[in-house]
Amino acid sequence: MDTFGLGDKYIAYLNETTGSFDQLANEISSVCSVASATGRQKSRASLVEKDYVEGFKRVLDKLSTFSPNGLPPEHLPTRYAYKDCQNVALEPSDLKPDLVFSLVSTAVSHMKDVHLILEAKGSMKRKTAYEKNLGQLADYALELRTVQPMRKFVPVLFLFGCQLDLVVFTHGGYYWTDIGTALYEDEGDQDTFLIMARNTLRDLWFILTLPLCQFGQIINSLSMPRSAQFDTTTTPASLVPLPTSRGSDLQGIKEMYFKAHITGRSTYLFRARYEGKDVVFKLTWLRTNRLPEGAVYKVLVDGNVPNLPTIFASGILVRDFCGHRLEYLVVEYCGESIVDHVRSMRKNGALAASVAKKVKLCTRSVMHTLVAALRSNVLHRDVSPGNITTDGTRVFVIDWGCAKLTAMPSASQAADMLSRWGFDSSGVVGKESEKDPFTGTQMYMSIPTLFKISMRGVFNEIESLFYVVLDSLSDRIRGRRSEDVLGFALYSESNLAMVRIGILGDDQRYLNNFGVRLAGPSELKNILDAMRKFL
């Protein structure tokens, strides 16, 4: 409880509920038999998962109408209602947890509406239950965290047989606690159940009466409309989505995609409007010993690095929870991926000269940015199509969340990292260098990085840019294995490195092996040949 800031509240709750649940235990014991939960008596040996779910639903139904005496107002009544999802998958997932809980006033139709999940299994020992089912519970937690990125943790009730546990998933791991015996399997167990039920019901009631803000949510996202707008009068430190109510011209927040490039880093991107501008709202959960992206942008701006997006607001929403921080950035919207842009030009019949001009602009702009960043002691480490974008006129290098410092920051930069981001920069170079072989997008990693060679520099970045340019000109269908496009085949890292060594050694056929078809000598071929020779 102390880990989640609930220790004192739970102790006070115990002191205030003495005797309050004795009556409930007596009343509820008659409906807690799993053997008769589905309306007909069954033997212990014939009980299945559905019987335990139905039995627990009867417990919840009884809880929803109970008013224990002596409880403080904040624990009356239960805040959450359940929905049976054994046969219904909630959007956008295909997962079917047995029960989901949401605010009593919320009609559940989407995983964004869900606060708490219950998964039930048949009777088994705890060790066996977790060995067999922990992965499934973690899948539920990941799904909830993906659609509710501001959650500090995700609670899952786990009923295996008559035993009820609470499993809490954070960004760094999971915790579990024994709530107690919630059901009994036949009439002969009723007296024993009655002795244990009081504490089980007391703790379950505590969970079902906790407000969202005290149980994993840093904002009341369950009661917030899915279409939302940023309130520009809010200070950056407390920037949160607010309901849209100021005109139909305001664009709501729309989830773009979820990605996780490095272990311990989860990033969520949303389209929105901010002070009349198109922006991306970026939320990142990151280990507290890793470099914050907002701090990287400060170093880049201090060094006058070109082709960066404008940062309108940034800060920390959660400074340290179980070793992770929640950082936010409100970033200028920078258009589409350069790969998608060039492919669209080619599809729409753009002249080869126009395509070559765009590729040359992209290549020069990105190389200029990467070299200028290195002069400021910053290495991007994830040069890939999604991180090189264009609005049709300008080229941007975005997403510096995987970047590392190649030298210690200046005294003023170190002070800013500590005061604003709570980040101690001492040892940051060594800490980030440890991640060099594992950071980035595999398909665009340089050959040395694919081989896990720890030395990493700007030449690795330029090689990644070379693959991005090739991809923009390739006829391959991204994400699909094709033996005809060996350079972008979905091999293991070491195998991909070996294949590319072979491909790049053949100056006559290397373009074909990346799916690039150019008819005779051209400016595009000259650009690509020059990059290949440089590398």
Side-chain angles (χ1 to χ4, degrees), residues 19-188:
S20 298
F21 288 90
D22 292 337
Q23 176 189 350
L24 178 58
N26 284 311
E27 291 182 8
I28 213 167
S29 64
S30 62
V31 301
C32 290
S33 170
V34 182
S36 59
T38 55
R40 59 188 183 86
Q41 197 69 26
K42 300 177 70 173
S43 67
R44 188 192 300 264
S46 64
L47 295 176
V48 294
E49 178 181 318
K50 184 178 180 180
D51 297 309
Y52 294 96
V53 175
E54 294 302 316
F56 194 71
K57 285 166 62 176
R58 292 168 68 173
V59 173
L60 294 172
D61 290 341
K62 195 70 175 179
L63 278 174
S64 67
T65 60
F66 184 66
S67 297
N69 297 320
L71 264 68
E74 64 264 27
H75 288 289
L76 290 173
T78 57
R79 297 174 186 268
Y80 308 102
Y82 72 84
K83 178 177 181 176
D84 190 327
C85 290
Q86 295 178 82
N87 301 309
V88 180
L90 295 178
E91 294 183 5
S93 168
D94 58 357
L95 301 175
K96 297 178 181 179
D98 291 318
L99 302 179
V100 297
F101 294 78
S102 67
L103 292 171
V104 171
S105 58
T106 302
V108 181
S109 60
H110 193 284
M111 288 295 281
K112 287 183 179 179
D113 303 321
V114 175
H115 170 61
L116 177 68
I117 284 174
L118 177 129
E119 182 64 22
K121 300 296 178 185
S123 183
M124 64 186 81
K125 293 182 178 180
R126 177 176 280 108
K127 181 180 179 182
T128 304
Y130 280 91
E131 287 176 346
K132 289 185 175 182
N133 301 293
L134 184 60
Q136 182 181 7
L137 304 183
D139 286 342
Y140 293 148
L142 179 60
E143 185 65 34
L144 270 188
R145 203 160 57 213
T146 300
V147 298
Q148 300 176 29
M150 288 192 179
R151 295 197 78 134
K152 294 199 294 186
F153 58 89
V154 176
V156 179
L157 289 171
F158 183 31
L159 181 70
F160 49 100
C162 298
Q163 176 62 43
L164 182 65
D165 281 8
L166 173 66
V167 189
V168 175
F169 291 89
T170 71
H171 287 267
Y174 73 96
Y175 301 79
W176 67 268
T177 186
D178 174 3
I179 296 178
T181 302
L183 302 166
Y184 58 92
E185 291 179 333
D186 60 41
E187 300 306 321

